[in-house]
Amino acid sequence: MTKQQANWSPYDNNGGSCVAIAGADYCVIAADTRMSTGYNILTREYSKICKLADKCVMASSGFQADVRALQKQLAARHLIYQHQHNKQMSCPAMAQLLSNTLYYKRFFPYYSFNVLGGLDNEGKGCVLTYDAVGSYEKVGYSSQGSGSTLIMPFLDNQLKSPSPLLLPAQDAVTPLVEAEAIDLVKTVFASASERDIYTGDKLELVIINAAGIRREYMELRKD
Amino acid sequence: MFRNQYDTDVTTWSPAGRLFQVEYAMEAVKQGSAAIGLRSKTHVVLGCVNKANSELSSHQKKIFKVDDHIGVAIAGLTADGRVLSRYMRNECINYSFTYESPLPVGRLVVQLADKAQVCTQRSWKRPYGVGLLVAGLDESGAHLYYNCPSGNYFEYQAFAIGSRSQAAKTYLERRFENFTDSSRDDLVKDAITAIRETLQGETLKSSICTIAVVGVGEPFHVLDQGTVQQIIDTFEIAAEQEDPATEPDAATGQEAATEQGTAADQGGSTDEGAAPMDI
């Protein structure tokens, strides 16, 4: 007598990759705009990036329905915060909120692999990387999604982020200038699009710095 | 108001068919400091008189943002008002979450009224002691509603509640026919003037009043002190044109000594005495 298996899954993987890189006074968050299911493409123009607060942006890959639900939850909670505290949530505050929101559904998780990027309270770039149930870590750079296995080793090679286990504690922020970081992100996505079938179509970049938030786009392979 | 034997319980009718507890709650609204509201076709302006317990304390917050398209000004028990604002904010957030569109003002007002009515029909509750002027914008245009502790609500072109509000109401009654087509700035000026009417002689300063606006393309926000003071200054200039000795306008080149005197009196946010906390 074999164990009964589910004949239906509540989850689907819509693919895609996300990357974020933190600098001394900026943060770059990027994701491709392809949404797939199985071997098919649903759309070439879907944004995986969501602005949660003034200086805080989240990119998520995985199951986009869960991603959308998660974004709405965070947006509602942010509104409540603003009413109570009369100011926007800081990036570290939003980071903890995201972690708690994900763990709240520990036994029916959001199938969402998130990267949070923004400026912390001192204006330095910060990137936080999450798993599906809310475990998170502040890092200098990160990638998530279907292309992350291709992207992450390359970022490790280029950015040489210090280990958090080192003493004395070193800054988890990269030495790159904003323009160099943007260039690196573009290179990395172009490479990932070559071999990962779920990454491609268009790259959406969001750059946060003291001047505000701006968006850039770049074409990627359509195949 | 005289004491009756039918006024202890909110669930006890008087022989004349009145619920005295509810009427006493409306009295509480009349005792609060004034709040006014007026609307045009595209904008709604709320104003209130700031009351501070003492020179040392900050002013009570009487205007609350409920959502980008709705704001409320209260008069009466401000604690009750705070609780009701929290309820309204929650309702707006929940509606937006479900329908991805802003809660129509009329709906919110009905929900608020029903909530107030419950308190008039339970022996273990008491009516909310606060009157709310709800200003909002939705698909059907700009709206101003007044919610009573009794659970009634009415829509208004312009209204005033709280102490000495009759003076403001008289002013508004004279002018309200023009409000529909007023520009946003004229509406704000009228609001400030209406507030001045309730002060009855006290000098109008930006530290005494708070003004908030919501309109087409303009989410609900409270105007900052500097802006309000500037508008007040424009009145003072117009009103005191005949009395050059007290004119505060530096550009007219009056004697420097007189100007220094008046500038100190009517300077912007660096007012003497009760400088309110920035809430």
Side-chain angles (χ1 to χ4, degrees):
Chain A
M1 183 76 195
T2 48
K3 184 176 176 189
Q4 196 185 26
Q5 297 279 345
N7 53 13
W8 173 82
S9 167
Y11 296 113
D12 187 16
N13 190 352
N14 299 122
S17 317
C18 309
V19 165
I21 300 181
D25 60 351
Y26 66 90
C27 187
V28 179
I29 301 99
D32 69 322
T33 61
R34 173 177 288 175
M35 188 180 186
S36 354
T37 175
Y39 285 122
N40 302 312
I41 293 180
L42 290 172
T43 177
R44 298 189 190 276
E45 287 167 69
Y46 190 80
S47 173
K48 301 188 190 41
I49 303 183
C50 176
K51 180 176 150 182
L52 298 176
D54 241 4
K55 302 275 175 176
C56 188
V57 163
M58 177 176 79
S60 325
S61 78
F63 181 35
Q64 290 301 321
D66 272 359
V67 168
R68 185 84 187 96
L70 178 62
Q71 289 170 352
K72 286 178 76 164
Q73 264 282 35
L74 294 173
R77 291 300 305 275
H78 188 218
L79 207 44
I80 295 173
Y81 182 98
Q82 284 178 82
H83 281 141
Q84 291 177 343
H85 297 88
N86 235 11
K87 62 171 187 154
Q88 297 262 327
M89 267 177 102
S90 64
C91 204
M94 186 58 84
Q96 188 62 49
L97 177 63
L98 174 55
S99 172
N100 292 345
T101 309
L102 291 169
Y103 196 81
Y104 196 74
K105 287 202 6 117
R106 170 68 178 80
F107 300 109
F108 183 11
Y110 289 107
Y111 191 148
S112 165
F113 298 96
N114 311 295
V115 176
L116 200 69
L119 300 179
D120 64 17
N121 293 318
E122 287 125 39
K124 277 176 26 183
C126 76
V127 167
L128 303 111
T129 189
Y130 292 77
D131 71 0
V133 285
S135 159
Y136 76 109
E137 185 191 359
K138 184 172 192 297
V139 286
Y141 61 93
S142 178
S143 76
Q144 293 279 357
S146 57
S148 68
T149 45
L150 300 166
I151 296 173
M152 204 56 178
F154 184 59
L155 290 178
D156 285 333
N157 175 273
Q158 295 293 305
L159 299 177
K160 292 189 191 128
S161 193
S163 162
L165 302 168
L166 280 179
L167 283 171
Q170 288 185 46
D171 237 356
V173 142
T174 62
L176 291 186
V177 149
E178 188 183 299
E180 290 171 324
I182 294 175
D183 218 49
L184 178 59
V185 166
K186 291 181 176 174
T187 310
V188 133
F189 267 91
S191 312
S193 309
E194 293 289 328
R195 294 287 176 173
D196 176 24
I197 60 173
Y198 299 109
T199 303
D201 289 330
K202 212 157 53 173
L203 170 63
E204 181 183 11
L205 288 117
V206 171
I207 304 108
I208 308 182
N209 51 28
I213 301 192
R214 75 172 200 281
R215 229 163 261 259
E216 269 183 43
Y217 292 94
M218 185 184 92
E219 295 296 319
L220 295 171
R221 286 188 69 136
K222 316 271 175 222
D223 63 357
Chain B
M1 298 293 288
F2 39 83
R3 296 195 60 82
N4 306 291
Q5 43 182 227
Y6 305 106
D7 66 355
T8 322
D9 240 320
V10 72
T11 51
T12 305
W13 288 100
S14 82
R18 294 156 70 172
L19 288 170
F20 282 114
Q21 278 297 306
V22 175
E23 293 185 23
Y24 294 165
M26 317 253 263
E27 261 320 290
V29 177
K30 292 186 202 157
Q31 300 300 328
S33 55
I36 59 116
L38 17 62
R39 75 166 155 115
S40 72
K41 213 162 23 193
T42 55
H43 287 78
V44 194
V45 179
L46 290 174
C48 71
V49 172
N50 291 334
K51 192 161 64 167
N53 279 339
S54 74
E55 290 233 334
L56 298 169
S57 79
S58 63
H59 297 270
Q60 281 214 310
K61 191 162 172 193
K62 285 163 50 84
I63 295 191
F64 298 90
K65 175 169 173 168
V66 166
D67 204 345
D68 280 340
H69 65 298
I70 301 183
V72 63
I74 62 170
L77 265 53
T78 38
D80 283 2
R82 209 176 52 235
V83 157
L84 288 176
S85 307
R86 195 161 54 224
Y87 168 75
M88 291 166 80
R89 284 167 176 171
N90 254 340
E91 291 301 302
C92 284
I93 289 175
N94 288 336
Y95 187 94
S96 279
F97 187 93
T98 312
Y99 299 101
E100 302 234 358
S101 86
L103 177 57
V105 195
R107 299 245 191 128
L108 178 61
V109 159
V110 175
Q111 285 175 256
L112 203 52
D114 288 346
K115 195 170 161 70
Q117 191 280 338
V118 165
C119 297
T120 67
Q121 212 174 7
R122 305 281 184 271
S123 61
W124 62 89
K125 288 187 179 240
R126 64 156 176 83
Y128 287 106
V130 64
L132 301 110
L133 282 172
V134 183
L137 213 67
D138 58 28
E139 279 185 354
S140 53
H143 300 278
L144 174 69
Y145 290 93
Y146 171 52
N147 277 72
C148 292
S150 60
N152 273 333
Y153 66 96
F154 308 94
E155 181 157 13
Y156 286 96
Q157 186 74 41
F159 200 49
I161 55 177
S163 70
R164 299 188 285 198
S165 58
Q166 190 49 53
K169 266 190 262 191
T170 318
Y171 171 79
L172 294 171
E173 272 167 27
R174 263 187 282 132
R175 302 282 309 258
F176 81 94
E177 266 140 2
N178 303 325
F179 290 163
T180 319
D181 298 310
S182 255
S183 75
R184 174 213 185 266
D185 293 332
D186 283 340
L187 215 61
V188 174
K189 285 205 191 101
D190 275 319
I192 298 182
T193 318
I195 295 211
R196 188 170 60 180
E197 300 295 312
T198 68
L199 294 173
Q200 287 179 354
E202 249 180 277
T203 30
L204 178 64
K205 296 193 287 257
S206 64
S207 55
I208 289 199
C209 65
T210 306
I211 307 284
V213 188
V214 62
V216 174
E218 191 177 354
F220 184 89
H221 66 288
V222 174
L223 298 185
D224 75 287
Q225 288 241 301
T227 320
V228 175
Q229 189 58 49
Q230 273 176 4
I231 303 178
I232 294 176
D233 290 340
T234 58
F235 295 167
E236 309 299 306
I237 295 170
E240 290 160 10
Q241 213 80 73
E242 333 82 68
D243 193 2
T246 51
E247 199 171 83
D249 189 353
T252 57
Q254 290 293 311
E255 301 93 299
T258 337
E259 269 182 72
Q260 299 293 18
T262 50
D265 267 9
Q266 290 175 341
S269 9
T270 55
D271 247 2
E272 18 75 298
M277 264 165 42
D278 210 71
I279 304 170

